[in-house]
Amino acid sequence: MTGEAAVAQKAGNYAIALPPITTIEVQGSDALFPVRRIYCVGRNYAAHAVEMGHDPDREPPFFFQKNPDNILPAGEDFPYPPQSSDVHFEAELVIAIGKGGKDIPLEQALDCVFGYGVGLDMTRRDLQGEAKDLRRPWEVGKAFESSAPCGAIVPASAIGHPDAGEIRLDVNGKRRQTGDLNQMIWKTPEIISYLSGLFTLAPGDLIFSGTPSGVGAIERGDVMLVHIDGVGELEVKVV
Ligand code: MN
């Protein structure tokens, strides 16, 4: 920020109304978790990589981003997005960063975690597929309004760092996705350490850590229920 901009900010002198800060509730607290950036890990469960037509071998992780204001808080309905007729659910463990840095060593990575949440990486699969075919970026498929439902952040001080336990998703009471956090190809410390070599992580960053197999389409009226052992549940209705 230049000197002039800093002075303007101090005076609250914005040319337009200040955009709201996206926040997520913290379980067991009145405090809110402010969201800075949203990173997502692609193909982090072997069975999902296979179902998407890829080799499950341990290649370096890759990342894409959503926008902070794409968060859909717990309790709100998911509006079926425009320009797509193939919108998919992806149940994911969300890592909430409380302490940032760059080139974070593996053994210090978990110290950077504030807590964890139950999330959904909602995807316009048809638009993502077109983007892949045309070698274009993925934003149209991934970073649209309400594309990142996320439940309350549960502090690591309360639950530790879950690295095993069931992650599953039901649609209208029928099991659609089942996996275990211990199937993550890249574990939480590895994701944080690797990502911090590419970007400077900061408090408020969220990392959607990838989805197990079984992804599929939803329709208006469907109710998605995600459960992650030790973290919690998130129910979202499609409207
Ligand atoms: Mn995903």
Side-chain angles (χ1 to χ4, degrees):
M1 192 181 297
T2 65
E4 242 174 68
V7 168
Q9 180 170 344
K10 204 170 181 184
N13 182 21
Y14 297 101
I16 57 168
L18 200 61
I21 296 170
T22 299
T23 57
I24 300 177
E25 288 183 16
V26 175
Q27 190 165 295
S29 164
D30 290 337
L32 297 170
F33 184 88
V35 180
R36 192 187 81 117
R37 293 183 185 169
I38 302 175
Y39 296 99
C40 304
V41 187
R43 290 172 214 142
N44 202 24
Y45 289 75
H48 174 61
V50 169
E51 78 178 347
M52 297 301 289
H54 299 279
D55 190 325
D57 281 352
R58 193 173 145 105
E59 294 168 351
F62 74 92
F63 301 92
F64 57 90
Q65 283 176 264
K66 296 187 186 236
N67 305 295
D69 65 348
N70 293 154
I71 290 288
L72 181 75
E76 290 192 20
D77 294 337
F78 173 76
Y80 199 94
Q83 305 294 330
S84 177
S85 56
D86 193 23
V87 178
H88 280 206
F89 50 77
E90 296 188 0
E92 310 205 356
L93 173 72
V94 179
I95 305 160
I97 298 296
K99 197 176 92 183
K102 50 187 169 183
D103 298 320
I104 297 165
L106 208 49
E107 60 276 12
Q108 290 171 21
L110 288 181
D111 297 337
C112 297
V113 177
F114 172 79
Y116 297 88
V118 177
L120 280 161
D121 165 16
M122 298 304 295
T123 302
R124 291 194 281 214
R125 193 71 75 201
D126 41 6
L127 300 191
Q128 184 199 23
E130 282 173 25
K132 282 181 181 175
D133 289 345
L134 296 168
R135 300 187 174 199
R136 286 179 181 165
W138 283 11
E139 278 88 351
V140 292
K142 289 289 193 179
F144 54 91
E145 271 55 61
S146 302
S147 61
C150 187
I153 303 298
V154 188
S157 58
I159 59 165
H161 299 278
D163 58 3
E166 192 173 45
I167 173 170
R168 61 174 189 258
L169 177 143
D170 295 347
V171 178
N172 305 330
K174 190 169 171 237
R175 185 64 35 88
R176 301 293 296 275
Q177 286 192 274
T178 315
D180 195 293
L181 298 178
N182 67 14
Q183 297 163 345
M184 284 166 62
I185 297 170
W186 296 92
K187 311 300 183 191
T188 299
E190 295 171 319
I191 292 169
I192 291 169
S193 182
Y194 192 94
L195 189 59
S196 73
L198 292 166
F199 303 99
T200 302
L201 294 181
D205 290 345
L206 296 177
I207 306 169
F208 283 60
S209 61
T211 196
S213 62
V215 299
I218 41 86
E219 303 293 341
R220 287 180 182 84
D222 286 346
V223 176
M224 302 177 283
L225 177 64
V226 187
H227 169 98
I228 302 178
D229 281 353
V231 183
E233 294 195 330
L234 174 67
E235 186 176 88
V236 184
K237 185 178 182 186
V238 184
V239 294

